[in-house]
Amino acid sequence: MALSDGVAGISPNTLTILGCGALGSAILFGLLASSAEEATEKTLNGADDQEQEKPLPNGDDHETFEDEEDLPKPSRIIACVRTEQSAEHLRKQLAAKKHSLSVIVVQGENARAVQAADTVLLGCQPQHLDSCLGAPAVRKALKGKLLISILAGVTIPQIEEVLTRTDSKLTARTNGVASPIANGRTTSIIRAMPNTASFVRTSTTVITACSVATPVALRLVKWLFNCIGTVTYITAAQFDACTALCGSTPAFFALFIDSLLDGAVALGLKRSEAQIMAAQTMKGAATLMLAGEHPEVVKEKVATPGGSTIQGLLELERKALRGTVADALIKCTAAASILGSKQA
């Protein structure tokens, strides 16, 4: 579909996603699922329930905003992809999902898609940052809008450098309308890192923002990522470590479970059944720790004197599991820090 077939001018509450790869698509479908649930709940409860008392903010990272209904939540999404094959695949996925938002899938129309939105989610590959945002028309269209980047290893200053390159065309008056959640004619940039669990809306997302990001922009971004999991604010200096800890470790955990499955199969269990048991056991242990128990306490509760668990733990310690895992996280952080420098 050409963008002109589905977009007439500039609409408020439109989110454009530049790059619907694994994470971009996960966020898209997480938003659609959340929107569908919200619409169903309103239908079931009736319009009067919108006036019911709302919980007060409690100061933690998962509070509900008192005026959440006033947030400029997206009512329409424009999903931009690089190839027609990707566009067709995404359209088929959307056709199979029930959702209440308007979604337009376009291919190769980044500038027009950005111009039509007030919030832009940047989800391309880190090495494609320059080709995605560097075009004068895209930089011009981003003026006065909110840009949310989920690019691993790409810092806010790196994005600002791409957007502020000298170009005479950018001094001309833009045809777009500044977003009410951005700061004047300056592009407000917020950096976020969700993970692959966005697909099942249990992502852990970390967020940091540029100095000109408005309170409304921060609240909107928090609401957006709360649709697919939990949100934690961090400093820019912590971002690469959190990219490794939150973004990469699902693969670490998958490797650990896969190793358990190999052992289980060797012991005569069916792999499919062992996977359910191992994953549920990991989920249970994680739930205990999320409830406040220290990992050491969980371990001590299971490793009773003279039991079988302590024998397995000693074997893991002999094979240096603790140091190996810590070193893997450190290596992963170092790799994340240079992803943004590999420009295509």
Side-chain angles (χ1 to χ4, degrees), residues 14 42 44 70 101 113 128 155 185 206 241 251 268 287 300 315 330:
T14 296
K42 286 183 178 180
L44 293 175
D70 296 329
L101 297 181
H128 297 149
T155 65
R185 305 308 307 161
V206 291
T287 301
E300 290 300 319
E315 182 64 15
I330 294 169

Side-chain angles (χ1 to χ4, degrees), residues 159-322:
I159 296 172
E160 290 174 334
E161 190 278 327
V162 172
L163 296 180
T164 58
R165 287 174 185 162
T166 302
D167 191 318
S168 59
K169 294 181 181 179
L170 296 182
T171 63
R173 179 177 175 83
T174 176
N175 293 326
V177 176
S179 165
I181 57 177
N183 189 350
R185 305 308 307 161
T186 302
T187 302
S188 294
I189 304 172
I190 294 179
R191 187 180 177 194
M193 178 48 59
N195 63 33
T196 190
S198 301
F199 279 105
V200 289
R201 299 173 63 194
T202 55
S203 172
T204 298
T205 302
V206 291
I207 292 175
T208 191
C210 67
S211 59
V212 300
T214 67
V216 176
L218 291 171
R219 288 166 43 212
L220 177 64
V221 172
K222 184 173 182 178
W223 169 84
L224 190 156
F225 287 104
N226 271 336
C227 288
I228 57 170
T230 61
V231 173
T232 301
Y233 287 105
I234 60 172
T235 65
Q238 298 171 318
F239 214 93
D240 290 331
C242 290
T243 294
L245 183 61
C246 301
S248 299
T249 53
F252 292 15
F253 300 146
L255 178 61
F256 188 81
I257 285 186
D258 202 36
S259 300
L260 291 175
L261 300 188
D262 287 343
V265 171
L267 292 169
L269 299 180
K270 292 182 179 179
R271 184 174 291 270
S272 59
E273 295 176 351
Q275 179 172 324
I276 293 172
M277 289 186 280
Q280 181 62 37
T281 302
M282 179 176 280
K283 179 181 179 180
T287 301
L288 288 172
M289 287 178 270
L290 285 171
E293 288 203 4
H294 191 279
E296 190 69 23
V297 173
V298 175
K299 186 186 76 170
E300 290 300 319
K301 284 183 176 180
V302 182
T304 55
S308 58
T309 301
I310 190 62
Q311 296 301 320
L313 289 171
L314 288 173
E315 182 64 15
L316 291 174
E317 295 287 5
R318 280 191 288 268
K319 297 296 174 60
L321 175 72
R322 189 184 300 266

Side-chain angles (χ1 to χ4, degrees), residues 68-148:
E68 184 177 292
E69 292 297 325
D70 296 329
L71 284 176
K73 301 175 185 177
S75 56
R76 179 175 60 182
I77 300 175
I78 303 173
C80 299
V81 296
R82 300 183 71 186
T83 67
E84 184 55 39
Q85 181 180 7
S86 296
E88 187 60 30
H89 177 67
L90 185 56
R91 290 188 189 107
K92 289 180 180 179
Q93 287 182 303
L94 288 167
K97 298 283 185 179
K98 181 181 179 181
H99 56 86
S100 58
L101 297 181
S102 170
V103 183
I104 303 167
V105 180
V106 298
Q107 181 255 325
E109 297 190 61
N110 287 359
R112 296 186 65 189
V114 170
Q115 187 179 27
D118 56 341
T119 302
V120 178
L121 179 73
L122 181 62
C124 65
Q125 293 297 316
Q127 63 269 26
H128 297 149
L129 169 66
D130 195 69
S131 60
C132 191
L133 296 187
V138 173
R139 288 183 283 152
K140 179 179 178 181
L142 276 169
K143 288 289 186 179
K145 300 193 176 178
L146 172 62
L147 177 64
I148 307 165

